[in-house]
Amino acid sequence: DSSAPVSTKRSRSARDQAYSEGWVEFKNKSIAKRVANMLNGEQIGGRKRSSFYDDLWNIKYLSKFKWDDLTEELALKKAIREQKIALELSAAKRERDSYLSKVDKSRALNAIEERLKKKQKIQQDSGQVAKVIRHFRQTKSITVNTKESKPGLSDDILDAVFGGS
């Protein structure tokens, strides 16, 4: 609303942004050339207290310039920025998921430790032995002589490879 008074410095500082470039489109090419020649190097003006009072216009007529060129460049910059943001978001999500999985593992390990402590405390109170020894029977016997268990090369193959003597 242009009729509303501007009373705070914050709103004024938003108005006094530093502009780097802008574009103006004219219907007639000759008018665009005359405006560019007239205003180039002239003082912007305004009130003396304005931040733009001492600034100069820097206007150029861009021949063979098409708006598609401008929008294509802006679209490319926007796509690159969105891609960077997407990469940063995916990295942050991976980091968050990793952290949460580690927290879950830590909670599970703490729960296991707590259960073991409770179990040991109950066993100590009842006078039972806390250490459990388990015995497992072997289904297949282990041979003592390792030479018998390994398949060996026959003398015929060794003679053929190394030359029999």
Side-chain angles (χ1 to χ4, degrees):
D1 190 345
S2 60
S3 64
V6 177
S7 61
T8 62
K9 276 192 166 187
R10 281 188 200 158
S11 61
R12 265 191 250 136
S13 65
R15 249 188 334 174
D16 296 341
Q17 294 176 357
Y19 295 101
S20 60
E21 58 185 53
W23 296 270
V24 179
E25 182 179 16
F26 292 87
K27 286 185 180 180
N28 192 338
K29 184 177 6 178
S30 62
I31 293 174
K33 286 181 181 179
R34 269 194 309 200
V35 168
N37 286 333
M38 263 185 4
L39 290 178
N40 191 25
E42 293 293 319
Q43 187 176 8
I44 291 177
R47 296 181 186 173
K48 285 190 177 185
R49 291 184 180 180
S50 169
S51 61
F52 301 114
Y53 180 75
D54 292 324
D55 292 342
L56 301 177
W57 287 107
N58 183 11
I59 298 179
K60 297 177 188 175
Y61 173 77
L62 302 174
S63 61
K64 299 179 183 177
F65 177 79
K66 302 215 181 337
W67 282 102
D68 293 337
D69 299 337
L70 175 65
T71 56
E72 183 179 311
E73 181 182 344
L74 293 175
L76 178 66
K77 286 181 181 179
K78 183 179 178 181
I80 290 171
R81 184 176 8 152
E82 287 175 355
Q83 188 177 18
K84 285 181 181 178
I85 289 171
L87 284 172
E88 289 176 4
L89 281 175
S90 66
K93 284 180 183 177
R94 277 194 311 267
E95 187 175 326
R96 181 200 65 202
D97 292 342
S98 171
Y99 174 76
L100 290 176
S101 68
K102 288 180 181 179
V103 166
D104 290 341
K105 286 179 184 177
S106 174
R107 285 182 183 162
L109 290 175
N110 286 340
I112 291 170
E113 288 177 8
E114 289 295 322
R115 280 184 277 161
L116 286 175
K117 286 180 183 177
K118 285 181 182 178
K119 189 175 182 181
Q120 287 176 355
K121 187 176 180 182
I122 290 170
Q123 288 175 350
Q124 286 175 355
D125 290 343
S126 64
Q128 295 178 352
V129 179
K131 190 173 182 181
V132 176
I133 300 172
R134 295 191 173 109
H135 298 283
F136 298 98
R137 288 185 358 163
Q138 282 187 317
T139 56
K140 193 174 185 181
S141 63
I142 299 174
T143 58
V144 178
N145 193 355
T146 57
K147 202 170 198 180
E148 293 174 6
S149 64
K150 290 185 183 177
L153 294 175
S154 68
D155 291 334
D156 297 335
I157 296 174
L158 291 174
D159 289 341
V161 173
F162 297 109
S165 48

